Amino acid sequence: MNNNNNNNGNDPRQPSTAKQYVPPAVSAQDLPVDYSGFIAVVFGIAGVLFRYKLSSWLAIIFCAQSLSNMKNVETDLKQISMAMMFAVMGLVTNYFGPVRPGTQS
Amino acid sequence: MASSSTWSSYLFIPRDDTLLYFLALLSIFSLLTQQLTRHSVLASSADFEGFGDETDDIIDDESDSSSLITNLPFRSPLPPPTTNLETDHGPPNPQIPDPITTTPTNPNNLDFWDEDEFEGVPILEKIQETPDVIIPIKTEVAPPVRSPPKNIGSFTVEIICVSFLITFIINYFTGKKENENIALSWASRFATKDSIFDKNFSLLGTGDGKDTPLLLKEGQNVFKFYASGRRFCQGMLATMELKSRHDLISRLYNMVVPCKDEITFEVYMNDDGMDQVVFALAKKKAAKVMHKELRDLQTYGSLISSGPSNRKWVAEELMVISESKEVAGDIINEAVLDQDESRLGLYNIIEYFDTGHNVVFGDKAFPKFGKEFISMHFSDQYMGSHRKMLLLKFALPDAKTMADMTRLVALVPYYIDLIGRYKLSPQARSKTDVARAKVAQEVYKELQNARQEALQKKKAEKKKMVEEAEAKLSAEAIRKKEAKDRAKQMKKVMPKVKMTRGH
């Protein structure tokens, strides 16, 4: 890329030895654990099963965090989309679902 | 275009665990529809309850038997169902009157009340003693329960969560921009034309073309810079690990537990370009941790508190880990410890580094120029993809004050040349050879032990197999023997019959 040699003979550059950058192959197992995605799934399921509004909202917040820190689309997106579905499902059942017996507004 | 097609195929063609993913989707969808249908059924079922108001019917019956029936209380009509959206539990409204308790009943006739038999039959109360005039008393029907008007206080959770999400989104873009600015500031300072890396490496950046970007973005907070084509080394990879400014939760966490932006230089040395050197320099706490955790330092290195005699040494807050004092003295030489302030003015900053004067680690220089220094680790026994490596780790200053780390960055090419040219003295080499031979012997012993264990396991397995085979064979032999014995027994038990030949 930069082959302009200095006039002095003490130039450390050696264009002949230059090697292209090869990113190291990282297996899916070696990738760091997506904790926020996992927490989002847990909160999402809790929101759907126990019908806690706060739980579903927290699931959406952790989904956003997981999405912002996403490095590998293939592996991470499944977990994030799963968490997102549970979170949205929880909110739908909480706000538009039938009223639980014995509750008053 | 290709990416969109792969994306669509990824979504719609089930492969591996995608099938499970779709099943989960389907189950969630079915759950949603079930909930919604239940909701609609509950809403409409109220129309079929009771078939109208029974209080309109007046029963005119003069017989005693009929009076028994008509004196029974009304069946309470159901109040219209209320579909409230709030699901929080609350106590039932005490102001709603109970229709059964408000119904006036004749105390004489309470004994005849049977819920199952007289369901839905109205009661008529006699005002006078004569059975001719019967006036029905209607029960008070509860008015439909209306949900109270909702104030802002009942939406606290929603307001907080939505505002947090909005803040998160805004912070994502601002934090992302901030990190990019720091990375670009570093690159423009040290990796552009006529900068320190341009003067030292023939290939800059991760691409092969001329217009390829210098930095490789691996995440919102990880940036990489690659350089190659220099004597003594195969290449150099600088990894900037910045704070997660784009992530609001991480940012809040970093307010409680502070951390720094870091840059790590990994220099991959040529096999013939590095002698047997194991050396590390870091702040005292970090040095002790490194000595415990890093295998090569643990095996070959020892903590060195003082340098060679009659020599200036590193600043008090720093500690050296090395194989020998000689190696430590040669690596931490006068060039990086020079305290003579008058010499600093002789060169402008770039020329100063080109001449090899990298004053950083001395008592006077370190507080000024070494603020961002974290650690250095040189090893020919590195555990990783490359055996011979130089690792230099520094903290990154703000984008505006990037010039503060110029001296630290200049240490990278300086130490590449120093280590590349460095040759151990015969005494030091003999020591390092002995140490490496010892380690090699230990490794060999471990391998031998592992092999022996494997052989023993194999032998044990073979033995087991043979024993099992023998057991099977012996079992068959025993069976045959038993069969023979049985046959003999049968022969003995059978009655003896004399055979006579007829003439």
Side-chain angles (χ1 to χ4, degrees), chain B residues 232-234 267-271 273-274 388 390 416 419-420:
Chain B
F232 306 126
C233 70
Q234 295 169 24
V267 182
Y268 311 119
M269 299 296 282
N270 294 332
D271 290 331
M274 186 176 183
K388 299 187 175 186
L390 312 183
I416 292 171
I419 299 292

Side-chain angles (χ1 to χ4, degrees), chain A residues 30-51:
Chain A
D30 297 334
L31 286 167
V33 181
D34 181 21
Y35 289 108
S36 50
F38 174 71
I39 293 165
V41 170
V42 170
F43 274 125
I45 292 167
V48 171
L49 292 182
F50 308 119
R51 297 188 66 180

Side-chain angles (χ1 to χ4, degrees), chain B residues 364-376:
Chain B
K364 289 177 188 173
F366 191 75
K368 273 187 187 178
F369 308 111
K371 287 179 291 186
E372 316 297 339
F373 177 80
I374 296 171
S375 69
M376 284 194 319

